[in-house]
Amino acid sequence: MVLSKKEDADIAEVLFSAESIRSRVTELGALISTDFSDGQPLTVVGVATGAFIFLADLVRAIDVPMEVDVIRAESYGQGTESSGQVRVSSNMKVQVEGRHVLLVEDILDTGRTLAALVGHMVVKGANSVSVCVLLDKEERRIIPLVLPPSGKQYTGFQCPDQFVVGYGLDFDEKYRSLSYVGVLRSELYSS
Ligand code: 5GP
Ligand code: MG
């Protein structure tokens, strides 16, 4: 196991250690396994790219037969913060019609991405839509997360309003492979 990496040098503070993430993922997996034990088909859909490590760990902690896929969503006019519109830029391969869908996302921030993806799953005919996020920056919410009836929300950790990287989360496509979540040194992105 890699205990230290070159990218560690760019991290100001570790917020969620690999150990704390591991035990929280185990708890979430147990909760989800109980909630989805009704025998109805489950499809777990990770939001690429940021959720890829969380998705990989979470599905191994869930003991229910499932299909696994990924989806990609992009904001229009990113950087300008103009419209805040989100579109699905890469769709799933599997059909979700008549199935329970569990969307797995790295971080819930303004809420725009998940609002769009929940709507997308409803349009695709999902039987229920639930959401599991590793991190929730609640104070940043602009669009409240509204789930259709019988949808459930799972949260790993409440996250302070700081820019975080690691465990799948990137800055400029870097730091995704760190096994913990940390705050990036501000001089590296506020230049
Ligand atoms: P939302 O649509 O909820 O505003 O945005 C969610 C997306 O914003 C996340 O999937 C992630 O890509 C990005 N994001 C929000 N906060 C952070 C952060 O602190 N660090 C990183 N790396 N990405 C973030
Ligand atoms: Mg994301």
Side-chain angles (χ1 to χ4, degrees):
M1 184 181 160
V2 184
L3 292 173
S4 63
K5 303 189 93 173
K6 294 183 180 65
E7 288 182 342
D8 290 338
D10 294 346
I11 304 301
E13 187 192 350
V14 175
L15 291 183
F16 306 104
S17 68
E19 293 70 28
S20 66
I21 294 172
R22 200 176 301 123
S23 70
R24 186 67 186 129
V25 169
T26 302
E27 288 173 2
L28 289 171
L31 271 174
I32 292 165
S33 303
T34 304
D35 290 348
F36 289 86
S37 59
D38 64 359
Q40 288 189 51
L42 171 67
T43 304
V44 181
V45 180
V47 184
T49 303
F52 80 110
I53 294 181
F54 183 39
L55 177 70
D57 285 346
L58 185 68
V59 294
R60 285 178 290 177
I62 300 174
D63 187 15
V64 169
M66 69 181 93
E67 293 184 355
V68 182
D69 204 345
V70 290
I71 196 165
R72 187 178 291 274
E74 230 94 29
S75 307
Y76 289 109
Q78 223 170 17
T80 66
E81 293 205 14
S82 49
S83 69
Q85 290 280 324
V86 172
R87 73 182 177 99
V88 172
S89 56
S90 173
N91 215 330
M92 306 161 291
K93 199 178 89 177
V94 301
Q95 304 289 322
V96 297
E97 190 175 352
R99 301 177 64 89
H100 289 313
V101 171
L102 176 67
L103 277 163
V104 177
E105 172 64 311
D106 51 8
I107 187 163
L108 181 52
D109 187 34
T110 65
R112 289 189 174 109
T113 305
L114 278 177
L117 291 177
V118 168
H120 182 79
M121 297 303 165
V122 171
V123 168
K124 292 278 178 193
N127 184 21
S128 74
V129 186
S130 298
V131 162
C132 183
V133 295
L134 177 70
L135 305 169
D136 184 0
K137 284 186 184 171
E138 210 169 354
E139 61 200 274
R140 294 257 311 160
R141 200 81 76 253
I142 292 170
I143 313 275
L145 183 61
V146 178
L147 298 174
S150 81
K152 292 192 157 58
Q153 185 180 344
Y154 306 91
T155 303
F157 304 98
Q158 293 298 324
C159 185
D161 184 12
Q162 285 173 296
F163 189 79
V164 295
V165 296
Y167 198 70
L169 289 140
D170 74 309
F171 172 65
D172 204 13
E173 299 301 328
K174 297 192 290 279
Y175 309 106
R176 293 192 194 276
S177 68
L178 296 175
S179 53
Y180 56 86
V181 172
V183 181
L184 193 60
R185 281 168 43 200
S186 57
E187 65 265 31
L188 293 169
Y189 64 88
S190 57
S191 56

